[in-house]
Amino acid sequence: MSEESQPITLEAFAEAIKELPLSAVYAKVSEIRNSLAHLRRSNSELRAFIDESCESESDKRELEGYIAENEGVITTMNERIGFLKTEIENRGESWIEEEVEADNKGDGDQASASLSSQPIVNGTVGDERPRAHQDATGRPEDTHTNEEEGVYL
């Protein structure tokens, strides 16, 4: 990472998320979980390359340095998720999330596990919105029979 561009501190992150709407806080959780999955996959691929193909000791050290840097970023991202959890709870919402052990440790590609472990608020996952009413066959009911067209919230 360049010396000119540094990520915001954890303290500044905690302050910044206080200003976000709840939906943006949940979106940030999903964004970070996605980044974590990519970093873990990258580290796994780097380790495999080191073990199977890397011949030069200097190349191995360089690649191991990249892995260590990624591990540091993973730690920071997990701390940010902790701040997001605290923010959600401070707003009076429940943080009901499956704890995916691989989110805190592990090296494999956890994209599917990360996506399935979204926060649940008021019985819905993340920012999920209510679905249309369905009839007995599972098809959406026609609830707009004598109503004007438009967007209804």
Side-chain angles (χ1 to χ4, degrees):
M1 179 173 278
S2 98
E3 305 237 338
E4 297 170 20
S5 142
Q6 294 291 318
I8 66 172
T9 64
L10 290 172
E11 294 77 20
F13 179 80
E15 284 300 312
I17 61 176
K18 290 178 182 177
E19 304 298 322
L20 295 175
L22 191 59
S23 62
V25 176
Y26 285 121
K28 184 54 81 174
V29 172
S30 294
E31 176 187 323
I32 291 173
R33 293 229 182 266
N34 184 51
S35 295
L36 284 167
H38 286 287
L39 283 166
R40 288 191 180 101
R41 187 191 74 238
S42 175
N43 276 1
S44 178
E45 290 172 358
L46 285 168
R47 284 188 184 101
F49 180 79
I50 289 170
D51 293 342
E52 298 167 10
S53 303
C54 195
E55 296 173 10
S56 159
E57 281 301 315
S58 65
D59 287 345
K60 285 181 184 180
R61 280 192 303 277
E62 182 178 0
L63 294 174
E64 287 167 352
Y66 296 145
I67 291 170
E69 183 177 340
N70 285 350
E71 292 295 334
V73 173
I74 288 169
T75 298
T76 300
M77 287 183 170
N78 280 321
E79 291 170 344
R80 288 181 186 222
I81 288 175
F83 280 110
L84 292 163
K85 176 182 185 237
T86 299
E87 179 61 26
I88 288 168
E89 290 173 342
N90 286 345
R91 293 184 188 193
E93 301 290 340
S94 296
W95 177 274
I96 302 171
E97 182 179 50
E98 260 184 60
E99 290 298 325
V100 179
E101 190 158 326
D103 281 344
N104 295 322
K105 56 188 167 186
D107 302 317
D109 183 2
Q110 301 299 324
S112 60
S114 295
L115 293 175
S116 68
S117 64
Q118 297 299 311
I120 300 174
V121 174
N122 298 330
T124 62
V125 177
D127 191 37
E128 187 175 298
R129 290 174 176 73
R131 302 291 180 232
H133 294 285
Q134 296 178 343
D135 65 15
T137 66
R139 292 187 210 131
E141 289 181 8
D142 184 7
T143 58
H144 299 291
T145 45
N146 289 320
E147 297 177 19
E148 292 180 28
E149 288 190 32
V151 176
Y152 297 92
L153 302 176

